[in-house]
Amino acid sequence: MGVRSDVVVIGAGQAGLSAAYGLRRAGLAPGSGFVVLDREDGPGGAWRHRWPTLRLDRVHGISNLPGLPFEPADRSLPAAEIVPAYFDAYERAFDLQVRRPVRVTAVREAGSDLRVESDAGTWITRALINATGTWTRPFRPRYPGAETFRGRQLHTADYAGPDEFAGKRVVVVGGGTSAVQLLMEIAPVAAATTWVTRRPPEFHEGPFDENYGRAVVARVDERVRAGLPPQSVVSVTRLPLTPEVRAAQEAGVLDRLPMFERITPDGVAWADGSSAAADVILWATGWRAALGHLAPLRLRGRGGGIAVEGTRVVADPRIHLVGYGPSASTIGANRAGQAAAREVVALLRGQAAA
């Protein structure tokens, strides 16, 4: 058996809270109407884990959650403090009653319903909005020789600040915004830094406004509709060309090298015989969607991804994915969360009328 709730929302990041707000506005009550399950110890989602030196004014942009403007008094403070405080205020303002910490382990068929299993109990639900994001699945590619490296390897998810890299030779791998931000922090204290990417980095000089965001989301959406693994929104936004980035370019910090062929005990090496010594390899190589708990439902298609129309899983209209593909950033999370809530409410009403 299990606790019954019409809708289960898994995850209380931006997408999950937007969905919960939409359900609340539609008249569903916390508990029997909907429940939000979150694995974190407190509000904030992935923002709780951003590195301490990431100030809010260095973030691409954080969209207002629906119904409550985000108006921090001081944008020079750490994002890991300001954003969770905003999410906390949001949960309280709309009485969303998020259950935490709850780690969902599996979602299974239960007749016409779904069975959501977790370390805090089981829920039986008519519909599911999955908003688990990517933060819990850092991606680090495999390269020959990795096991021989005598230095330290870590991922962006492990980064705690530049001090631990003082006097070290650091290779930063990855072409996203995180890689650039970390390079600019580490370079002043490191003995040397080397930036390595698979493709030449592209920079964007214009504003990251709503129109640009819509165009980016549309490009990611094409893959998701085709059932392919989603390309991250960040990978198609290009890198913001801020005054700070320009200064780093002029200082040579952002001189990029192509991807190395192998890892050696003392660094990395390229096919042409060149090499770079390293004490640390920092993998700023992104994340993958955290969907392992949905595996029992067999939603993945031949292309390796889950085919989604908007937020609705094509193979099962009871399930919506937000924070997946085109909504895996603040650019699309709000719209996706509210769209999922509208569709789920329509589904419930259709079931009641049948």
Side-chain angles (χ1 to χ4, degrees):
M1 296 297 291
V3 178
R4 281 205 159 267
S5 187
D6 286 335
V7 186
V8 170
V9 180
I10 307 177
Q14 185 130 4
L17 293 181
S18 296
Y21 172 86
L23 297 172
R24 197 82 161 94
R25 286 289 299 269
L28 275 66
S32 61
F34 73 94
V35 63
V36 183
L37 309 177
D38 186 47
R39 69 181 292 162
E40 298 293 341
D41 293 327
W47 290 102
R48 293 169 57 84
H49 305 288
R50 302 298 186 189
W51 55 94
T53 51
L54 178 62
R55 301 194 322 243
L56 194 61
D57 56 11
R58 292 180 180 172
V59 176
H60 271 189
I62 299 172
S63 300
N64 294 327
L65 282 161
L68 185 67
F70 180 53
E71 299 174 333
D74 187 352
R75 289 184 172 270
S76 68
L77 294 174
E81 295 178 13
I82 301 302
V83 181
Y86 171 54
F87 282 19
D88 182 38
Y90 191 84
E91 291 179 17
R92 289 186 282 105
F94 298 105
D95 191 28
L96 299 180
Q97 299 182 25
V98 177
R99 296 282 303 272
R100 58 168 62 93
V102 178
R103 179 176 173 271
V104 173
T105 54
V107 180
R108 307 181 192 277
E109 295 283 358
S112 60
D113 296 321
L114 295 166
R115 178 183 176 90
V116 180
E117 301 172 358
S118 81
D119 59 1
T122 299
W123 281 262
I124 304 299
T125 187
R126 298 161 64 191
L128 176 74
I129 298 178
N130 190 86
T132 46
T134 62
W135 185 261
T136 58
R137 284 199 64 206
F139 172 70
R140 188 168 74 185
R142 295 180 180 178
Y143 273 84
E147 71 284 354
T148 71
F149 185 58
R150 287 192 282 256
R152 182 185 178 201
Q153 296 188 59
L154 69 160
H155 188 274
T156 308
D158 309 309
Y159 182 77
D163 292 347
E164 61 184 320
F165 301 96
K168 305 290 186 182
R169 298 163 298 178
V170 184
V171 173
V172 177
V173 184
T177 304
S178 294
V180 171
Q181 290 174 339
L182 299 188
L183 271 164
M184 291 191 297
E185 285 193 8
I186 293 169
V189 301
T193 59
T194 302
W195 186 25
V196 179
T197 72
R198 284 192 302 155
R199 293 181 295 272
E202 296 184 53
F203 292 88
H204 175 72
E205 294 195 63
F208 281 80
D209 56 18
E210 190 172 344
N211 290 333
Y212 185 69
R214 276 198 294 265
V216 167
V217 167
R219 290 172 62 186
V220 180
D221 189 50
E222 291 176 7
R223 289 180 59 86
V224 173
R225 286 175 180 270
L228 299 171
Q231 185 180 14
S232 72
V233 172
V234 173
S235 71
V236 293
T237 59
R238 293 180 289 174
L239 300 164
L241 193 55
T242 64
E244 188 177 27
V245 169
R246 286 187 184 277
Q249 288 177 326
E250 292 170 3
V253 171
L254 299 182
D255 290 346
R256 166 262 179 190
L257 293 175
M259 198 64 207
F260 49 77
E261 181 185 60
R262 67 189 184 280
I263 299 173
T264 68
D266 301 308
V268 296
W270 284 264
D272 63 4
S274 61
S275 63
D279 304 300
V280 181
I281 299 175
L282 176 55
W283 299 93
T285 42
W287 290 261
R288 296 292 183 265
L291 300 176
H293 54 289
L294 301 181
L297 300 176
R298 301 180 182 277
L299 300 175
R300 291 191 184 276
R302 293 181 179 179
I306 299 176
V308 173
E309 256 324 307
T311 63
R312 175 179 51 81
V313 173
V314 173
D316 192 333
R318 298 171 300 175
I319 303 171
H320 285 254
L321 303 184
V322 295
Y324 177 79
S327 61
S329 76
T330 57
I331 292 173
N334 284 346
R335 290 194 299 271
Q338 293 180 84
R342 287 193 298 270
E343 286 205 34
V344 163
V345 169
L347 175 69
L348 298 179
R349 290 172 179 166
Q351 290 175 346

